[in-house]
Amino acid sequence: MAVALLRQGIHPRGGGCICLGGDCPNCVVEVDGVAYVRSCQVAARPALEVARQTDTPRLPDESRPLETELRTAFADVVVVGQGESGLAAARDADGTVISFDAHRGEEAIGLYAGPTVVAKTPAGMVSVQCSRVVVATGAAEEQPICPGSELDGIFTKRAAESLRAAGIDLGDAVTIDEQPQRFEGSGRVEAVVTAAGDRIAASTVVVDLGLHPRSGLLRMGQGLEVEVVGDAALTDSLPPPPTEGVVCPCSDVTVSDLEAVWDRGFREMELLKRATLAGTGTCQGGVCLPHLRSYLAAKGVSTPAPFTARPLTRQATIGEVAAGYDLPPFRRTALHDEHLRLGATMDRFGAWWRPWRYPDPEAEYWSVRERVSLGDVSTLGKMEISGPDVVALLEKLYPCRVADLKDGQVRYALLLDERGYVLDDGLICRLSEHRFYLTFTSGGASFAEMWVRDWAETFDLDVRILDRTMSLGAINVTGPLARELLRRGGVDSPPAYLAHVDAAVFGVECRIVRLSFTGEVSFELHHPFSDSVELWRRLEEAGADLGSYPHGLDALFTLRLEKGHFIVGMDSEYDSTPRRLGLEWAARLSKPDFVGKQALLRTNRLPLNKRLLGWEMDGPAPIEGAILWQVATPVGQVTSARYSPVLAKTVMLGWLRSDPAEPEGISCDGRPVRHASHPFYDPDGARARA
Amino acid sequence: MLEPLEATRVIARPAALDAVRVSPGTLLMRLALDDALVIGGDVQVDDPFAIVVPDSGWVAWRFGEDQLREALVRLCAFEIHAGLNQGMVAGLPAKIWIDGDRSLVIVAAAYAAEFEERFR
């Protein structure tokens, strides 16, 4: 395309030395609405829309598809460049070879660990995983750096040869082989003043100033299996130091700019680059790098190395950069479509889509408090673990006692890290002497397996571990009538509080786990993923005359807050110990050992500098995160706040960070706040245990 | 496209899984040293502490060789070979089983909808 434009007497950029090698920014244009396209690297064809590049290129409009395909390929060897040395390297390589040839519009733009080579091609983006990369990218011609280098009519030697070969008359072209003092002219070059001071009139000047290896990919591949061949392996000799003119035509950085930042103390290559932006533009140092090194060398910096090369070596569109990238997936429980059928508003929580609210939020809440309700808790982490050393492992993992659990019993447990901070919480269910079923929070599920496996290996304990989070569904049946609903499902002997049984509910084999997060009688029915819809519908039908209505996360957050249950990651912070959370009872320091014990022993001797406390106030709930004030001093923040329908006041959890003797005189949102013990609702737990 | 997969999950000592016995016609995929997914048959493993449980948390897409090349290759971040392949397909964790004319893609049922959307 550059040749076609020049044939018409049009300089693609308006001026500047043309190289036709893809090494400079002097032929960039907009092609079909895409800015920063080197016209020397694009084949001209009918109907291409070409416009001059402006300082503020237009953004793509809807007429141009943004998406670009990414193809992943595999090869033993990737050869970048198909000149003489590149062809030879491809021919002689062992195994499968993939080559990229800039003359076919295939440009390697990045080299990553692996090694992986990413290239732009006319067919889209290509990512090649390989064992070895051969860089055969050749060498770039040195550009003139002097006043007037921005004029039209200046060509490198190779460019001139290509243009002449294309039948373009360069007129009275003069060739120089040293950096000139300056070019003269207005718009187009009229004369060149050589290094020796001779003024030569010419409407075209050809510069033959030497070669510099195209080392971008090689430098990008440091530490990887990368070999360089041909001119790309040339020893790079420095040009004479620039004294005047534009050094970096991409960012319009002049020698005066270099002097200015040098005087301010930026005296290394990377600092020079950052301070001036030289080398950060279109050509990524293709023009300026040798001159910057020469500039520093002349200042006494010994052998200044080239600056770090990073992808991308070429401009890419957003579509090209995003090619093949997929957004992180969100899981759906087996009941996803049931929630939609019931009119739920779904939201993303953790890694899952979850029902936030159904059409009647009041019914969600009161069906739990007064009747019976279903909640989808399939997102809970679930794990089965067995083995001769399973008790030993769990005793080390959990700060509570495990060995004394009897078959069929359930225990609430915290999970601590080595620093004694709460990582997660959940349940320990004993299935048999050597087999347990563990639950974790929805957010902690993905981490739990790694955590348990890691410690099993660390302690060299013989256990089998299976994460069942995505293979089991779970439905929470909760409310004063939950037992009746289970009875209708065929369960005459549901488990006692903090116990579990395996039983069929409406014909679906379930592990029924009895605990309570809502504060009412609750049975979690853990069951095969494939049975979730059947079980949900049967429970829904059987509970209709009991006033059953499902509840989503929004209602659940209110219900659990009334009970003062904290949520890991929502109410706890990264450094929350059981003591800070008011859960000292959950850590048995009399146990011989558990993860985090030594840290707890140490930190328990320190003053308690923050506590998670219960609070209440009149009126509506403040936003979560609101500051707690003691007069004019911020002393903490609210982590959870809800207006409680059953208590007719706002209840909250929040950190008291400073150390007032008594949490008195506290305000939030401009209103007084009272410290209150929690649970706020049913403090003795009679309803949950009923 | 995707169909529910009724499988059995077997977690056992690696040595026990090496010697696992399955009935004829059973497909056993060794997901990890201590982990196998068994489709369509009985399994016996010599480990008293093994966890052997039905697992309905998967969906599968059965396909032919041409479909594989057309639809899968461009979306896989790994090189597909005969036997069990595991890795990201269209940004989702997946398993691809290639065995002559019996080939299938397996993803967790929780990802089924997202997988189908990404394949359209």
Side-chain angles (χ1 to χ4, degrees), chain A residues 74 129 326-327 329-332 386 453 464 468 471 529-530, chain B residues 13 34 47 49 54-56 77-79 90 92 110-111 117-118:
Chain A
F74 307 87
Q129 297 171 25
D326 293 292
L327 292 170
F330 283 89
R331 303 167 183 170
R332 299 181 193 192
S386 75
R453 282 187 181 277
R464 324 281 177 265
R468 306 204 71 191
S471 63
F529 186 97
S530 57
Chain B
R13 282 185 300 112
D34 63 344
D47 178 357
F49 301 103
D55 190 343
S56 64
F78 53 89
E79 192 165 19
L92 296 164
Y111 289 130
E117 283 174 11
R118 292 182 182 199

PDB file of all heavy atoms in Angstrom, chain A residues 74 129 326-327 329-332 386 453 464 468 471 529-530, chain B residues 13 34 47 49 54-56 77-79 90 92 110-111 117-118:
ATOM      1  N   PHE A  74       0.288 -25.913  17.639  1.00  0.00           N
ATOM      2  CA  PHE A  74       1.375 -26.569  18.367  1.00  0.00           C
ATOM      3  C   PHE A  74       2.458 -26.967  17.363  1.00  0.00           C
ATOM      4  O   PHE A  74       2.155 -27.425  16.259  1.00  0.00           O
ATOM      5  CB  PHE A  74       0.865 -27.809  19.097  1.00  0.00           C
ATOM      6  CG  PHE A  74      -0.322 -27.509  19.977  1.00  0.00           C
ATOM      7  CD1 PHE A  74      -1.609 -27.547  19.469  1.00  0.00           C
ATOM      8  CD2 PHE A  74      -0.127 -27.128  21.289  1.00  0.00           C
ATOM      9  CE1 PHE A  74      -2.693 -27.240  20.261  1.00  0.00           C
ATOM     10  CE2 PHE A  74      -1.209 -26.813  22.089  1.00  0.00           C
ATOM     11  CZ  PHE A  74      -2.494 -26.869  21.576  1.00  0.00           C
ATOM     12  N   GLN A 129       2.176 -22.859  20.681  1.00  0.00           N
ATOM     13  CA  GLN A 129       2.984 -23.403  21.774  1.00  0.00           C
ATOM     14  C   GLN A 129       4.047 -24.296  21.136  1.00  0.00           C
ATOM     15  O   GLN A 129       3.728 -25.154  20.317  1.00  0.00           O
ATOM     16  CB  GLN A 129       2.101 -24.197  22.732  1.00  0.00           C
ATOM     17  CG  GLN A 129       1.057 -23.323  23.407  1.00  0.00           C
ATOM     18  CD  GLN A 129       0.035 -24.134  24.191  1.00  0.00           C
ATOM     19  OE1 GLN A 129       0.315 -25.237  24.623  1.00  0.00           O
ATOM     20  NE2 GLN A 129      -1.153 -23.574  24.351  1.00  0.00           N
ATOM     21  N   ASP A 326     -11.813 -15.592  27.169  1.00  0.00           N
ATOM     22  CA  ASP A 326     -13.169 -15.844  27.649  1.00  0.00           C
ATOM     23  C   ASP A 326     -13.317 -15.278  29.049  1.00  0.00           C
ATOM     24  O   ASP A 326     -12.427 -15.410  29.884  1.00  0.00           O
ATOM     25  CB  ASP A 326     -13.440 -17.349  27.694  1.00  0.00           C
ATOM     26  CG  ASP A 326     -13.482 -17.946  26.312  1.00  0.00           C
ATOM     27  OD1 ASP A 326     -14.417 -17.632  25.577  1.00  0.00           O
ATOM     28  OD2 ASP A 326     -12.565 -18.708  25.973  1.00  0.00           O
ATOM     29  N   LEU A 327     -14.449 -14.671  29.282  1.00  0.00           N
ATOM     30  CA  LEU A 327     -14.715 -14.160  30.626  1.00  0.00           C
ATOM     31  C   LEU A 327     -14.767 -15.329  31.607  1.00  0.00           C
ATOM     32  O   LEU A 327     -15.118 -16.442  31.234  1.00  0.00           O
ATOM     33  CB  LEU A 327     -16.037 -13.407  30.651  1.00  0.00           C
ATOM     34  CG  LEU A 327     -16.050 -12.097  29.874  1.00  0.00           C
ATOM     35  CD1 LEU A 327     -17.466 -11.567  29.765  1.00  0.00           C
ATOM     36  CD2 LEU A 327     -15.161 -11.082  30.552  1.00  0.00           C
ATOM     37  N   PRO A 329     -16.108 -17.987  33.895  1.00  0.00           N
ATOM     38  CA  PRO A 329     -17.469 -18.532  33.873  1.00  0.00           C
ATOM     39  C   PRO A 329     -18.139 -18.433  35.234  1.00  0.00           C
ATOM     40  O   PRO A 329     -17.470 -18.408  36.268  1.00  0.00           O
ATOM     41  CB  PRO A 329     -17.228 -19.999  33.512  1.00  0.00           C
ATOM     42  CG  PRO A 329     -15.863 -20.296  34.049  1.00  0.00           C
ATOM     43  CD  PRO A 329     -15.079 -19.027  33.909  1.00  0.00           C
ATOM     44  N   PHE A 330     -19.444 -18.358  35.204  1.00  0.00           N
ATOM     45  CA  PHE A 330     -20.227 -18.436  36.437  1.00  0.00           C
ATOM     46  C   PHE A 330     -21.047 -19.718  36.407  1.00  0.00           C
ATOM     47  O   PHE A 330     -21.707 -20.016  35.418  1.00  0.00           O
ATOM     48  CB  PHE A 330     -21.118 -17.206  36.600  1.00  0.00           C
ATOM     49  CG  PHE A 330     -20.348 -16.016  37.061  1.00  0.00           C
ATOM     50  CD1 PHE A 330     -19.763 -15.155  36.150  1.00  0.00           C
ATOM     51  CD2 PHE A 330     -20.151 -15.793  38.410  1.00  0.00           C
ATOM     52  CE1 PHE A 330     -19.007 -14.084  36.576  1.00  0.00           C
ATOM     53  CE2 PHE A 330     -19.394 -14.719  38.850  1.00  0.00           C
ATOM     54  CZ  PHE A 330     -18.824 -13.850  37.926  1.00  0.00           C
ATOM     55  N   ARG A 331     -20.977 -20.424  37.498  1.00  0.00           N
ATOM     56  CA  ARG A 331     -21.662 -21.715  37.567  1.00  0.00           C
ATOM     57  C   ARG A 331     -23.156 -21.497  37.806  1.00  0.00           C
ATOM     58  O   ARG A 331     -23.558 -20.499  38.400  1.00  0.00           O
ATOM     59  CB  ARG A 331     -21.080 -22.540  38.710  1.00  0.00           C
ATOM     60  CG  ARG A 331     -19.592 -22.767  38.609  1.00  0.00           C
ATOM     61  CD  ARG A 331     -19.063 -23.312  39.928  1.00  0.00           C
ATOM     62  NE  ARG A 331     -17.614 -23.482  39.871  1.00  0.00           N
ATOM     63  CZ  ARG A 331     -16.872 -23.761  40.928  1.00  0.00           C
ATOM     64  NH1 ARG A 331     -17.430 -23.898  42.125  1.00  0.00           N
ATOM     65  NH2 ARG A 331     -15.577 -23.900  40.817  1.00  0.00           N
ATOM     66  N   ARG A 332     -23.910 -22.470  37.385  1.00  0.00           N
ATOM     67  CA  ARG A 332     -25.348 -22.455  37.661  1.00  0.00           C
ATOM     68  C   ARG A 332     -25.689 -23.708  38.453  1.00  0.00           C
ATOM     69  O   ARG A 332     -25.254 -24.804  38.093  1.00  0.00           O
ATOM     70  CB  ARG A 332     -26.140 -22.447  36.353  1.00  0.00           C
ATOM     71  CG  ARG A 332     -25.840 -21.222  35.519  1.00  0.00           C
ATOM     72  CD  ARG A 332     -26.632 -21.195  34.251  1.00  0.00           C
ATOM     73  NE  ARG A 332     -26.082 -20.170  33.361  1.00  0.00           N
ATOM     74  CZ  ARG A 332     -26.668 -19.725  32.277  1.00  0.00           C
ATOM     75  NH1 ARG A 332     -27.834 -20.214  31.908  1.00  0.00           N
ATOM     76  NH2 ARG A 332     -26.099 -18.797  31.531  1.00  0.00           N
ATOM     77  N   SER A 386     -11.916 -39.642  53.513  1.00  0.00           N
ATOM     78  CA  SER A 386     -11.817 -40.899  54.252  1.00  0.00           C
ATOM     79  C   SER A 386     -10.359 -41.328  54.333  1.00  0.00           C
ATOM     80  O   SER A 386      -9.497 -40.738  53.675  1.00  0.00           O
ATOM     81  CB  SER A 386     -12.639 -42.001  53.555  1.00  0.00           C
ATOM     82  OG  SER A 386     -11.960 -42.445  52.403  1.00  0.00           O
ATOM     83  N   ARG A 453      -5.804 -30.848  50.775  1.00  0.00           N
ATOM     84  CA  ARG A 453      -4.776 -31.700  50.154  1.00  0.00           C
ATOM     85  C   ARG A 453      -3.373 -31.267  50.566  1.00  0.00           C
ATOM     86  O   ARG A 453      -2.491 -32.098  50.818  1.00  0.00           O
ATOM     87  CB  ARG A 453      -4.905 -31.646  48.627  1.00  0.00           C
ATOM     88  CG  ARG A 453      -6.026 -32.496  48.083  1.00  0.00           C
ATOM     89  CD  ARG A 453      -5.992 -32.545  46.554  1.00  0.00           C
ATOM     90  NE  ARG A 453      -7.089 -33.333  46.046  1.00  0.00           N
ATOM     91  CZ  ARG A 453      -7.072 -34.663  45.948  1.00  0.00           C
ATOM     92  NH1 ARG A 453      -5.997 -35.335  46.320  1.00  0.00           N
ATOM     93  NH2 ARG A 453      -8.117 -35.304  45.488  1.00  0.00           N
ATOM     94  N   ARG A 464      -8.223 -40.047  51.532  1.00  0.00           N
ATOM     95  CA  ARG A 464      -8.796 -39.892  50.190  1.00  0.00           C
ATOM     96  C   ARG A 464      -9.696 -38.661  50.253  1.00  0.00           C
ATOM     97  O   ARG A 464     -10.482 -38.523  51.199  1.00  0.00           O
ATOM     98  CB  ARG A 464      -9.647 -41.093  49.783  1.00  0.00           C
ATOM     99  CG  ARG A 464      -9.139 -42.454  50.277  1.00  0.00           C
ATOM    100  CD  ARG A 464      -8.002 -42.990  49.435  1.00  0.00           C
ATOM    101  NE  ARG A 464      -7.541 -44.257  50.013  1.00  0.00           N
ATOM    102  CZ  ARG A 464      -6.516 -44.341  50.860  1.00  0.00           C
ATOM    103  NH1 ARG A 464      -5.850 -43.266  51.234  1.00  0.00           N
ATOM    104  NH2 ARG A 464      -6.138 -45.520  51.348  1.00  0.00           N
ATOM    105  N   ARG A 468     -17.056 -32.534  46.310  1.00  0.00           N
ATOM    106  CA  ARG A 468     -18.351 -32.867  45.732  1.00  0.00           C
ATOM    107  C   ARG A 468     -19.211 -31.622  45.489  1.00  0.00           C
ATOM    108  O   ARG A 468     -20.417 -31.720  45.271  1.00  0.00           O
ATOM    109  CB  ARG A 468     -19.098 -33.855  46.631  1.00  0.00           C
ATOM    110  CG  ARG A 468     -18.271 -35.095  46.949  1.00  0.00           C
ATOM    111  CD  ARG A 468     -19.142 -36.262  47.306  1.00  0.00           C
ATOM    112  NE  ARG A 468     -19.844 -36.765  46.137  1.00  0.00           N
ATOM    113  CZ  ARG A 468     -20.840 -37.649  46.190  1.00  0.00           C
ATOM    114  NH1 ARG A 468     -21.258 -38.098  47.343  1.00  0.00           N
ATOM    115  NH2 ARG A 468     -21.431 -38.074  45.081  1.00  0.00           N
ATOM    116  N   SER A 471     -21.072 -31.736  42.249  1.00  0.00           N
ATOM    117  CA  SER A 471     -21.815 -32.945  41.897  1.00  0.00           C
ATOM    118  C   SER A 471     -23.006 -33.169  42.824  1.00  0.00           C
ATOM    119  O   SER A 471     -23.807 -34.069  42.582  1.00  0.00           O
ATOM    120  CB  SER A 471     -20.893 -34.169  41.913  1.00  0.00           C
ATOM    121  OG  SER A 471     -20.390 -34.384  43.206  1.00  0.00           O
ATOM    122  N   PHE A 529     -26.882 -34.043  42.049  1.00  0.00           N
ATOM    123  CA  PHE A 529     -27.158 -32.884  41.196  1.00  0.00           C
ATOM    124  C   PHE A 529     -28.350 -33.155  40.279  1.00  0.00           C
ATOM    125  O   PHE A 529     -29.213 -32.299  40.091  1.00  0.00           O
ATOM    126  CB  PHE A 529     -25.896 -32.592  40.365  1.00  0.00           C
ATOM    127  CG  PHE A 529     -25.946 -31.344  39.542  1.00  0.00           C
ATOM    128  CD1 PHE A 529     -25.380 -30.158  40.015  1.00  0.00           C
ATOM    129  CD2 PHE A 529     -26.520 -31.332  38.278  1.00  0.00           C
ATOM    130  CE1 PHE A 529     -25.409 -28.998  39.242  1.00  0.00           C
ATOM    131  CE2 PHE A 529     -26.554 -30.185  37.509  1.00  0.00           C
ATOM    132  CZ  PHE A 529     -25.990 -29.018  37.999  1.00  0.00           C
ATOM    133  N   SER A 530     -28.406 -34.370  39.743  1.00  0.00           N
ATOM    134  CA  SER A 530     -29.442 -34.680  38.750  1.00  0.00           C
ATOM    135  C   SER A 530     -30.835 -34.764  39.360  1.00  0.00           C
ATOM    136  O   SER A 530     -31.834 -34.751  38.639  1.00  0.00           O
ATOM    137  CB  SER A 530     -29.116 -35.999  38.035  1.00  0.00           C
ATOM    138  OG  SER A 530     -28.977 -37.036  38.989  1.00  0.00           O
TER     139      SER A 530
ATOM    140  N   ARG B  13      -6.301 -45.108  46.650  1.00  0.00           N
ATOM    141  CA  ARG B  13      -4.845 -45.095  46.580  1.00  0.00           C
ATOM    142  C   ARG B  13      -4.422 -45.263  45.130  1.00  0.00           C
ATOM    143  O   ARG B  13      -5.033 -46.040  44.393  1.00  0.00           O
ATOM    144  CB  ARG B  13      -4.252 -46.263  47.380  1.00  0.00           C
ATOM    145  CG  ARG B  13      -4.221 -46.075  48.887  1.00  0.00           C
ATOM    146  CD  ARG B  13      -3.508 -47.249  49.554  1.00  0.00           C
ATOM    147  NE  ARG B  13      -4.163 -48.523  49.284  1.00  0.00           N
ATOM    148  CZ  ARG B  13      -3.653 -49.500  48.534  1.00  0.00           C
ATOM    149  NH1 ARG B  13      -2.464 -49.345  47.983  1.00  0.00           N
ATOM    150  NH2 ARG B  13      -4.312 -50.620  48.344  1.00  0.00           N
ATOM    151  N   ASP B  34      -5.069 -40.347  42.047  1.00  0.00           N
ATOM    152  CA  ASP B  34      -5.981 -40.939  43.029  1.00  0.00           C
ATOM    153  C   ASP B  34      -7.440 -40.802  42.620  1.00  0.00           C
ATOM    154  O   ASP B  34      -8.324 -40.974  43.454  1.00  0.00           O
ATOM    155  CB  ASP B  34      -5.768 -40.271  44.394  1.00  0.00           C
ATOM    156  CG  ASP B  34      -6.113 -38.786  44.364  1.00  0.00           C
ATOM    157  OD1 ASP B  34      -6.225 -38.227  43.267  1.00  0.00           O
ATOM    158  OD2 ASP B  34      -6.284 -38.199  45.451  1.00  0.00           O
ATOM    159  N   ASP B  47      -9.287 -51.010  47.902  1.00  0.00           N
ATOM    160  CA  ASP B  47      -8.873 -50.001  48.879  1.00  0.00           C
ATOM    161  C   ASP B  47     -10.041 -49.831  49.845  1.00  0.00           C
ATOM    162  O   ASP B  47     -11.085 -49.288  49.472  1.00  0.00           O
ATOM    163  CB  ASP B  47      -8.559 -48.675  48.180  1.00  0.00           C
ATOM    164  CG  ASP B  47      -8.174 -47.573  49.169  1.00  0.00           C
ATOM    165  OD1 ASP B  47      -8.203 -47.833  50.392  1.00  0.00           O
ATOM    166  OD2 ASP B  47      -7.853 -46.469  48.717  1.00  0.00           O
ATOM    167  N   PHE B  49     -10.593 -47.840  52.047  1.00  0.00           N
ATOM    168  CA  PHE B  49     -10.941 -46.447  52.341  1.00  0.00           C
ATOM    169  C   PHE B  49     -11.340 -45.680  51.070  1.00  0.00           C
ATOM    170  O   PHE B  49     -11.500 -44.460  51.114  1.00  0.00           O
ATOM    171  CB  PHE B  49      -9.771 -45.745  53.024  1.00  0.00           C
ATOM    172  CG  PHE B  49      -9.372 -46.401  54.312  1.00  0.00           C
ATOM    173  CD1 PHE B  49      -8.246 -47.206  54.369  1.00  0.00           C
ATOM    174  CD2 PHE B  49     -10.143 -46.230  55.456  1.00  0.00           C
ATOM    175  CE1 PHE B  49      -7.877 -47.821  55.551  1.00  0.00           C
ATOM    176  CE2 PHE B  49      -9.785 -46.844  56.644  1.00  0.00           C
ATOM    177  CZ  PHE B  49      -8.650 -47.651  56.699  1.00  0.00           C
ATOM    178  N   PRO B  54     -21.781 -42.446  43.269  1.00  0.00           N
ATOM    179  CA  PRO B  54     -22.397 -42.008  42.007  1.00  0.00           C
ATOM    180  C   PRO B  54     -22.153 -40.519  41.839  1.00  0.00           C
ATOM    181  O   PRO B  54     -22.142 -39.775  42.820  1.00  0.00           O
ATOM    182  CB  PRO B  54     -23.893 -42.294  42.218  1.00  0.00           C
ATOM    183  CG  PRO B  54     -23.998 -43.085  43.451  1.00  0.00           C
ATOM    184  CD  PRO B  54     -22.772 -42.867  44.260  1.00  0.00           C
ATOM    185  N   ASP B  55     -21.949 -40.122  40.617  1.00  0.00           N
ATOM    186  CA  ASP B  55     -21.632 -38.721  40.354  1.00  0.00           C
ATOM    187  C   ASP B  55     -22.429 -38.236  39.152  1.00  0.00           C
ATOM    188  O   ASP B  55     -22.138 -38.608  38.013  1.00  0.00           O
ATOM    189  CB  ASP B  55     -20.126 -38.576  40.097  1.00  0.00           C
ATOM    190  CG  ASP B  55     -19.681 -37.128  40.067  1.00  0.00           C
ATOM    191  OD1 ASP B  55     -20.550 -36.243  39.926  1.00  0.00           O
ATOM    192  OD2 ASP B  55     -18.465 -36.882  40.180  1.00  0.00           O
ATOM    193  N   SER B  56     -23.456 -37.447  39.412  1.00  0.00           N
ATOM    194  CA  SER B  56     -24.284 -36.947  38.306  1.00  0.00           C
ATOM    195  C   SER B  56     -23.974 -35.495  37.994  1.00  0.00           C
ATOM    196  O   SER B  56     -24.760 -34.808  37.366  1.00  0.00           O
ATOM    197  CB  SER B  56     -25.773 -37.095  38.661  1.00  0.00           C
ATOM    198  OG  SER B  56     -26.093 -36.281  39.774  1.00  0.00           O
ATOM    199  N   ALA B  77      -7.141 -24.780  24.508  1.00  0.00           N
ATOM    200  CA  ALA B  77      -5.851 -24.175  24.813  1.00  0.00           C
ATOM    201  C   ALA B  77      -4.780 -25.250  24.940  1.00  0.00           C
ATOM    202  O   ALA B  77      -3.696 -24.995  25.446  1.00  0.00           O
ATOM    203  CB  ALA B  77      -5.953 -23.368  26.094  1.00  0.00           C
ATOM    204  N   PHE B  78      -5.103 -26.469  24.510  1.00  0.00           N
ATOM    205  CA  PHE B  78      -4.129 -27.554  24.630  1.00  0.00           C
ATOM    206  C   PHE B  78      -4.234 -28.442  23.394  1.00  0.00           C
ATOM    207  O   PHE B  78      -5.217 -28.372  22.648  1.00  0.00           O
ATOM    208  CB  PHE B  78      -4.370 -28.373  25.907  1.00  0.00           C
ATOM    209  CG  PHE B  78      -5.789 -28.867  26.046  1.00  0.00           C
ATOM    210  CD1 PHE B  78      -6.183 -30.076  25.509  1.00  0.00           C
ATOM    211  CD2 PHE B  78      -6.741 -28.105  26.702  1.00  0.00           C
ATOM    212  CE1 PHE B  78      -7.482 -30.528  25.632  1.00  0.00           C
ATOM    213  CE2 PHE B  78      -8.040 -28.545  26.837  1.00  0.00           C
ATOM    214  CZ  PHE B  78      -8.416 -29.764  26.289  1.00  0.00           C
ATOM    215  N   GLU B  79      -3.234 -29.249  23.204  1.00  0.00           N
ATOM    216  CA  GLU B  79      -3.182 -30.117  22.033  1.00  0.00           C
ATOM    217  C   GLU B  79      -3.964 -31.394  22.329  1.00  0.00           C
ATOM    218  O   GLU B  79      -3.727 -32.056  23.339  1.00  0.00           O
ATOM    219  CB  GLU B  79      -1.736 -30.451  21.686  1.00  0.00           C
ATOM    220  CG  GLU B  79      -1.579 -31.102  20.330  1.00  0.00           C
ATOM    221  CD  GLU B  79      -0.122 -31.081  19.888  1.00  0.00           C
ATOM    222  OE1 GLU B  79       0.763 -30.915  20.752  1.00  0.00           O
ATOM    223  OE2 GLU B  79       0.124 -31.232  18.682  1.00  0.00           O
ATOM    224  N   ALA B  90     -12.730 -23.167  25.568  1.00  0.00           N
ATOM    225  CA  ALA B  90     -13.525 -21.936  25.564  1.00  0.00           C
ATOM    226  C   ALA B  90     -13.545 -21.303  26.958  1.00  0.00           C
ATOM    227  O   ALA B  90     -14.551 -20.750  27.392  1.00  0.00           O
ATOM    228  CB  ALA B  90     -14.946 -22.201  25.079  1.00  0.00           C
ATOM    229  N   LEU B  92     -13.422 -22.813  29.806  1.00  0.00           N
ATOM    230  CA  LEU B  92     -14.088 -23.631  30.824  1.00  0.00           C
ATOM    231  C   LEU B  92     -13.300 -24.918  31.035  1.00  0.00           C
ATOM    232  O   LEU B  92     -12.802 -25.505  30.079  1.00  0.00           O
ATOM    233  CB  LEU B  92     -15.503 -23.989  30.367  1.00  0.00           C
ATOM    234  CG  LEU B  92     -16.455 -22.800  30.214  1.00  0.00           C
ATOM    235  CD1 LEU B  92     -17.673 -23.205  29.408  1.00  0.00           C
ATOM    236  CD2 LEU B  92     -16.875 -22.313  31.581  1.00  0.00           C
ATOM    237  N   ALA B 110     -22.633 -27.782  36.173  1.00  0.00           N
ATOM    238  CA  ALA B 110     -22.795 -26.380  36.562  1.00  0.00           C
ATOM    239  C   ALA B 110     -22.318 -25.429  35.470  1.00  0.00           C
ATOM    240  O   ALA B 110     -22.673 -24.251  35.463  1.00  0.00           O
ATOM    241  CB  ALA B 110     -22.036 -26.112  37.858  1.00  0.00           C
ATOM    242  N   TYR B 111     -21.502 -25.935  34.550  1.00  0.00           N
ATOM    243  CA  TYR B 111     -21.005 -25.118  33.444  1.00  0.00           C
ATOM    244  C   TYR B 111     -21.737 -25.400  32.132  1.00  0.00           C
ATOM    245  O   TYR B 111     -21.371 -24.837  31.093  1.00  0.00           O
ATOM    246  CB  TYR B 111     -19.513 -25.368  33.221  1.00  0.00           C
ATOM    247  CG  TYR B 111     -18.605 -24.821  34.297  1.00  0.00           C
ATOM    248  CD1 TYR B 111     -17.637 -25.612  34.886  1.00  0.00           C
ATOM    249  CD2 TYR B 111     -18.708 -23.496  34.707  1.00  0.00           C
ATOM    250  CE1 TYR B 111     -16.798 -25.115  35.870  1.00  0.00           C
ATOM    251  CE2 TYR B 111     -17.877 -22.992  35.693  1.00  0.00           C
ATOM    252  CZ  TYR B 111     -16.922 -23.801  36.263  1.00  0.00           C
ATOM    253  OH  TYR B 111     -16.089 -23.302  37.228  1.00  0.00           O
ATOM    254  N   GLU B 117     -23.475 -21.885  25.445  1.00  0.00           N
ATOM    255  CA  GLU B 117     -23.498 -20.504  24.941  1.00  0.00           C
ATOM    256  C   GLU B 117     -22.190 -20.159  24.237  1.00  0.00           C
ATOM    257  O   GLU B 117     -22.184 -19.501  23.206  1.00  0.00           O
ATOM    258  CB  GLU B 117     -23.715 -19.528  26.109  1.00  0.00           C
ATOM    259  CG  GLU B 117     -25.158 -19.475  26.574  1.00  0.00           C
ATOM    260  CD  GLU B 117     -25.325 -18.616  27.822  1.00  0.00           C
ATOM    261  OE1 GLU B 117     -24.369 -17.909  28.196  1.00  0.00           O
ATOM    262  OE2 GLU B 117     -26.412 -18.684  28.416  1.00  0.00           O
ATOM    263  N   ARG B 118     -21.093 -20.629  24.785  1.00  0.00           N
ATOM    264  CA  ARG B 118     -19.794 -20.290  24.201  1.00  0.00           C
ATOM    265  C   ARG B 118     -19.527 -21.066  22.923  1.00  0.00           C
ATOM    266  O   ARG B 118     -18.665 -20.692  22.142  1.00  0.00           O
ATOM    267  CB  ARG B 118     -18.684 -20.537  25.223  1.00  0.00           C
ATOM    268  CG  ARG B 118     -18.760 -19.581  26.376  1.00  0.00           C
ATOM    269  CD  ARG B 118     -17.653 -19.760  27.370  1.00  0.00           C
ATOM    270  NE  ARG B 118     -17.846 -18.818  28.471  1.00  0.00           N
ATOM    271  CZ  ARG B 118     -16.895 -18.455  29.309  1.00  0.00           C
ATOM    272  NH1 ARG B 118     -15.691 -18.942  29.196  1.00  0.00           N
ATOM    273  NH2 ARG B 118     -17.146 -17.589  30.280  1.00  0.00           N
TER     274      ARG B 118
END
